Amino acid sequence: MIVKLLWRGLLAGLIGLAPLPAAAADPDPTDWPAVVAEAEGQTVYFNAWGGSSAINDYIAWAAGEVKRQFGVTLQHVKLEDTATAVAKVVAEKAAGRDEGGSVDLIWINGENFASMQEQGLLAEGFATRLPNWRYVDTGNPSITTDFTVPTLGQESPWGGAKMVFFTDPARTGPIDDMPDDTDALLAWAKEHPGRFSYPAPPDFVGSSFLKQVLIEQIEDAALLAEPVDDATFETVTAPLWQWLDEIRPALWREGRDYPQNYPAMKQLLADSELDIIFAFNPAEASAAIAAGELPDTVRSFTFPGGTLGNTHFVAIPYNSSAKAGAMVVANFLLSPAAQIRKEDPKFWGDPTVLKLDSLPEADREAFAAIDRGVATLSPDELGPVLPEPHPSWMTRIEEEWTKRYGS
């Protein structure tokens, strides 16, 4: 769940950067029994993308559980764009509604989170004090920083995303012979002209691929943790454009055209027009096989040095009317039971944010027993996560790509 958002200007225009007035004291997660007691009877309006029946069903299941276990009513406010929820909080802040807000919990990450944090529109840090935080994989850098922005405990991790490549070994040969980094991918594409492509930015998957190449090709990837410096942008990104210039003649249709998005790329693999595609959810290939969209001989692979990954979160607005209830829901979503169900492709297929070694043995066994499908790599096969660059890089790279290669 990534929604690109250019709200900084709007936010600044509406509320400026002036210090915010103090809000009522938040519930203290270190006194969890008190939080649970306060939460009972509350209604939590959870603003979350509603475009997937599987995800909607999962949230409905979670609503049933928190009602049964804690007496909390979870109301899914289905969004087409996270920006809608952000705009609500902005408008309430502008109107002086510092308590009793209409949004209690938001599914969020990336630029939306950075904007809300920057403008002081989130409740104070709570996530690291939730009881189930002890199970979280804090070794994953995308857990504690969201597109390089420190989360400061103001959002609780919910699920992961990671770039994974797919091919059909029945056509392309052993999976072990697939490229293991972007240098090898460039060489492979030259040896197999017309058999690789990527979605044209600003499609999210296509832009993510550009970031993968950028991270691997530039001299100092640490620069990407900072906002873009206009004075050095051309020099820093020169290796990316050189790589793209080199691969373009070897792309599908010689780079004169690009797939619109991941579904289009998937269809090209199914039609034997492409041999390597990629997605941002490791379960995509298995799901496509189960749906009859891809041959059952398709398999996944990643780069041993790491592929781009990020985490999606839930956050509580500063003026939520049900902060205790929202904390109870966030803690439930982190529970091994909720994470096991979410990772199961029968229900969602979203990678967990938990560190499996930290779990009780029964929960580890339950994760191990999940049938992820024939083409889904297990968590310990996915390899390292390369953290997202600062949000400003995506915007600048998309602009530059369009100037160079867009029609």
Side-chain angles (χ1 to χ4, degrees), residues 7-346:
W7 276 101
R8 288 177 188 272
L10 173 61
L11 289 165
L14 285 172
I15 64 175
L17 296 176
L20 298 170
D26 290 347
D28 180 5
T30 62
D31 186 359
W32 193 244
V35 173
V36 173
E38 183 179 343
E40 186 172 5
Q42 288 187 339
T43 296
V44 174
Y45 290 92
F46 182 20
N47 286 240
W49 181 63
S52 162
S53 58
I55 295 173
N56 294 344
D57 290 346
Y58 179 86
I59 293 174
W61 168 80
E65 289 300 302
V66 296
K67 182 69 173 180
R68 179 178 65 81
Q69 296 183 36
F70 307 105
V72 173
T73 299
L74 182 63
Q75 183 69 47
H76 183 186
V77 180
K78 297 176 182 175
L79 305 175
E80 294 185 0
D81 192 326
T82 306
T84 304
V86 178
K88 283 184 190 175
V89 182
V90 170
E92 290 173 357
K93 181 63 195 171
R97 189 175 173 181
D98 296 323
E99 295 182 352
S102 63
V103 181
D104 298 309
L105 196 65
I106 302 179
W107 185 11
I108 196 169
N109 75 348
E111 180 70 7
N112 290 300
F113 169 72
S115 296
M116 293 193 74
Q117 187 189 62
E118 181 181 314
Q119 303 301 328
L121 297 175
L122 294 172
E124 66 179 38
F126 68 96
T128 58
R129 294 179 289 155
L130 294 174
N132 285 328
W133 180 263
R134 65 187 186 278
Y135 299 131
V136 172
D137 182 9
T138 54
N140 179 346
S142 72
I143 294 285
T144 52
T145 58
D146 186 351
F147 284 59
T148 76
V149 178
T151 62
L152 305 178
Q154 290 186 295
E155 53 182 1
S156 179
W158 191 19
K162 194 169 189 301
M163 182 171 289
V164 174
F165 295 85
F166 309 139
T167 190
D168 185 350
R171 293 203 317 260
T172 59
I175 198 81
D176 290 343
D177 292 345
M178 288 292 103
D180 57 8
D181 58 25
T182 52
D183 284 335
L185 178 59
L186 175 60
W188 183 94
K190 290 179 177 178
E191 293 172 3
H192 305 81
R195 310 301 296 173
F196 176 75
S197 189
Y198 59 92
D203 171 75
F204 164 68
V205 174
S207 297
S208 296
F209 176 73
L210 298 188
K211 289 188 285 186
Q212 174 75 33
V213 178
L214 178 69
I215 292 169
E216 288 195 50
Q217 295 295 320
I218 68 170
E219 200 166 303
D220 182 7
L223 293 172
L224 304 177
E226 303 295 330
V228 170
D229 180 349
D230 289 337
T232 61
F233 175 77
E234 183 175 344
T235 303
V236 170
T237 59
L240 167 66
W241 311 118
Q242 180 179 341
W243 191 96
L244 292 171
D245 287 344
E246 273 198 64
I247 201 170
R248 188 179 189 186
L251 293 176
W252 177 70
R253 297 184 177 175
E254 298 179 329
R256 295 189 299 273
D257 194 10
Y258 293 84
Q260 182 179 8
N261 47 33
Y262 169 73
M265 219 168 31
K266 178 173 61 179
Q267 187 60 52
L268 291 172
L269 178 64
D271 293 342
S272 301
E273 289 199 53
L274 295 180
D275 284 335
I276 295 177
I277 66 168
F278 48 91
F280 224 61
N281 184 332
E284 286 283 0
S286 289
I289 291 170
E293 298 169 341
L294 289 176
D296 60 7
T297 46
V298 167
R299 293 294 182 271
S300 306
F301 65 97
T302 61
F303 295 163
T307 52
L308 193 70
N310 64 52
T311 298
H312 53 86
F313 301 83
V314 293
I316 303 173
Y318 83 104
N319 63 344
S320 162
S321 59
K323 289 178 181 172
M327 289 180 186
V328 166
V329 172
N331 189 60
F332 172 77
L333 296 177
L334 274 182
S335 67
Q339 290 278 308
I340 289 167
R341 186 179 181 95
K342 187 160 66 62
E343 183 153 317
D344 191 327
K346 291 197 304 288

Side-chain angles (χ1 to χ4, degrees), residues 336 339-341 343-346 352 354-357 359-373 376-381:
Q339 290 278 308
I340 289 167
R341 186 179 181 95
E343 183 153 317
D344 191 327
K346 291 197 304 288
T352 185
L354 304 185
K355 183 178 182 181
L356 301 190
D357 290 348
L359 301 178
E361 183 175 354
D363 293 324
R364 292 200 304 272
E365 290 175 354
F367 268 107
I370 294 173
D371 182 1
R372 296 177 173 82
T376 306
L377 300 172
S378 63
D380 58 358
E381 294 175 314

